[in-house]
Amino acid sequence: MTRDAVIESSADVVAVRRLVRSAAIEVGLSLIDQTKIITAASELARNALVYAGRGELRVDVVENGKSRGLRLVVNDEGPGIPDIEQALTDGWTTGTGLGLGLGGSRRLVDEFDLLSKPGQGTTVTVTKWAR
């Protein structure tokens, strides 16, 4: 099962939360893990909206033998991140937030991958496994 969403407004960020919640329930994530993946999705979607003006989300159900999980891919064609290590540092932000979005999202999931190049956009892939 793959589900896609376009992120072009704050309403779309709310829709992302609903979409991920539905998929998390379907996969069998615990309530705590549902909350974690929904929060990560919301942060990543908001980052795409704020820094790139728009983005896209893909939600996939994944399996690794005996476990099922959710893989989210948030992609944008924004300005990119010049220093990924710095961007993952808590408290660092180029915006008006608290600087917890990327680092916080990384801590909420089981797998986290960030690819970004200045002028070429950003792709963040996260996975949360059912326990």
Side-chain angles (χ1 to χ4, degrees):
M1 169 212 70
T2 297
R3 300 175 189 170
D4 297 308
V6 174
I7 305 157
E8 295 179 325
S9 69
S10 292
D12 292 334
V13 175
V14 173
V16 160
R17 291 178 64 86
R18 278 194 229 111
L19 175 68
V20 173
R21 174 178 279 118
S22 172
I25 290 168
E26 183 178 316
V27 167
L29 292 180
S30 69
L31 185 56
I32 290 170
D33 286 342
Q34 288 174 39
T35 301
K36 288 179 179 181
I37 192 76
I38 292 163
T39 301
S42 180
E43 290 292 329
L44 297 173
R46 184 152 309 283
N47 277 358
L49 182 61
V50 168
Y51 295 105
R54 76 174 304 277
E56 297 174 352
L57 167 77
R58 186 178 76 232
V59 179
D60 292 307
V61 173
V62 292
E63 297 186 25
N64 72 350
K66 52 191 166 192
S67 296
R68 294 181 77 200
L70 280 187
R71 178 165 296 135
L72 311 180
V73 180
V74 179
N75 184 58
D76 70 56
E77 295 178 2
I81 301 169
D83 187 336
I84 291 173
E85 187 175 328
Q86 186 178 42
L88 290 168
T89 302
D90 286 348
W92 186 85
T93 181
T94 60
T96 59
L98 297 174
L100 299 174
L102 287 174
S105 294
R106 180 171 59 177
R107 286 189 300 276
L108 291 169
V109 297
D110 299 316
E111 298 171 19
F112 180 95
D113 184 56
L114 189 155
L115 299 172
S116 186
K117 291 188 179 177
Q120 297 183 17
T122 300
T123 300
V124 182
T125 304
V126 298
T127 305
K128 189 71 178 167
W129 295 102
R131 311 228 181 276

